[in-house]
Amino acid sequence: SYYGFGLFVDEDPALGRVVSHSGGYPGFGSNMRWHPATGLAVIALGNGTYSPMHSLAELVLRALVTPSAAYQVALAPAPVGPWPETVAAVDTVNALLKDWDDGAADALFTENVALDRPYQERRADLALLRTRIGAFDVDAARPAESDTPAQRRWWLAGERATVAVAIQLNPERGAVPRVQSLAFAIPPAGDSALGRALATVTEWLNDGAAGWPTSLPVAPEADAGLIARRLRMAAAWAGPVTPGAYQAGDGTTSVTAELIGEHAPVTLSLLVNPSTGELRQADVAL
């Protein structure tokens, strides 16, 4: 058995090589197992804090690799729409974002939230957000979205920009679900390396220039040709674009922004070195 890059690699005497990893959060436990020889994989999820799911995952994987009539795998339909607790948490989070209080945050969040990013840093993020977009409120023109019952994404509209906020609730049984992750996009300052990179790429997408803009150097470790080809394909698909809302980013090194195209919208993600101004990564989603 070996451990590297966050994955365990076991040489099973019956199955051969099996790759796996476990993880968990308050109210949640999981195990993932892959069988490279067949391409089969199993993901086992449990609604208990750090549930030991590896035994079940191993059992199911063995049943799939060596099928037998003794094993039957049943799939339950996924719930439709967000939990009522998820929808209610949006209002509580919005109140907290407008007037942060550590006591209210402790009641709202699971214990990992303050460990993932301390409250002091989250307050600083909020202050920076207000500086970048001005006074903000929920954007009633954009409906909230949920990819799962425990997840919710909505939009805050400020005087200068609109940003996304996302939460994920924990699945603790026997208790009111609490928020176990909170993220909101911070737009870059216009005169920063990240802000200039976003403006330069957007302008380059619109002007149709054949060569990469000399004002935006690409880091040596990045593939400048590949970046240019990807962006050019997006420009051909979308047509002329105008900046839209910000979906993610820390406002200094990373940004993910909507670009509203004449024919279709695209999502542009940039990663820069704020010290050198070099573009480290650029991805686009159609």
Side-chain angles (χ1 to χ4, degrees), residues 268-286:
L268 176 66
S269 297
L270 302 179
L271 183 67
V272 305
N273 182 329
S275 300
T276 64
E278 293 176 325
L279 181 67
R280 298 178 56 196
Q281 186 175 328
D283 293 306
V284 64
L286 304 179

Side-chain angles (χ1 to χ4, degrees), residues 89-109 113 119 122-123 126 130 136 179 182 184:
V90 171
D91 292 334
T92 308
V93 170
N94 282 327
L96 186 65
L97 294 180
K98 287 189 173 183
D99 185 15
W100 186 277
D101 177 80
D102 286 354
D106 284 337
L108 174 65
F109 296 137
V113 174
Y119 289 165
R122 292 182 184 272
R123 289 194 297 269
L126 278 171
R130 294 189 188 95
F136 57 79
V179 176
L182 166 66
F184 50 85

Side-chain angles (χ1 to χ4, degrees), residues 29-285:
S30 67
N31 181 261
M32 298 180 287
R33 308 184 79 79
W34 299 270
H35 189 245
T38 60
L40 293 170
V42 171
I43 302 174
L45 309 175
N47 57 351
T49 299
Y50 300 111
S51 297
M53 303 305 296
H54 60 278
S55 297
L56 176 60
E58 181 179 2
L59 178 67
V60 174
L61 184 62
R62 290 185 183 277
L64 292 172
V65 175
T66 56
S68 165
Y71 297 106
Q72 296 291 330
V73 180
L75 300 178
V80 177
W83 296 331
E85 294 89 348
T86 309
V87 176
V90 171
D91 292 334
T92 308
V93 170
N94 282 327
L96 186 65
L97 294 180
K98 287 189 173 183
D99 185 15
W100 186 277
D101 177 80
D102 286 354
D106 284 337
L108 174 65
F109 296 137
T110 54
E111 56 267 29
N112 65 276
V113 174
L115 297 174
D116 294 341
R117 189 162 180 81
Y119 289 165
Q120 181 178 357
E121 295 179 16
R122 292 182 184 272
R123 289 194 297 269
D125 291 341
L126 278 171
L128 183 59
L129 179 66
R130 294 189 188 95
T131 300
R132 299 281 169 85
I133 75 171
F136 57 79
D137 209 336
V138 174
D139 187 350
R142 299 188 63 145
E145 306 164 349
S146 289
D147 298 326
T148 71
Q151 187 268 347
R152 198 70 166 165
R153 180 173 50 255
W154 69 100
W155 306 86
L156 300 177
E159 301 162 5
R160 294 181 287 278
T162 298
V163 301
V165 183
I167 58 172
Q168 175 81 29
L169 270 64
N170 72 326
E172 284 185 283
R173 176 179 285 180
V176 176
R178 292 183 293 161
V179 176
Q180 69 179 19
S181 71
L182 166 66
F184 50 85
I186 301 176
D191 59 352
S192 66
L194 184 61
R196 291 192 297 270
L198 179 59
T200 299
V201 171
T202 303
E203 182 180 353
W204 182 73
L205 290 174
N206 287 334
D207 67 17
W212 183 257
T214 57
S215 60
L216 181 57
V218 178
E221 66 271 17
D223 188 332
L226 179 60
I227 289 174
R229 290 194 298 274
R230 284 177 175 171
L231 296 180
R232 274 284 167 241
M233 286 189 290
W237 173 263
V241 296
T242 56
Y246 294 91
Q247 293 187 352
D250 61 10
T252 302
T253 63
S254 63
V255 63
T256 298
E258 295 177 343
L259 298 179
I260 310 303
E262 181 181 2
H263 308 300
V266 297
T267 302
L268 176 66
S269 297
L270 302 179
L271 183 67
V272 305
N273 182 329
S275 300
T276 64
E278 293 176 325
L279 181 67
R280 298 178 56 196
Q281 186 175 328
D283 293 306
V284 64

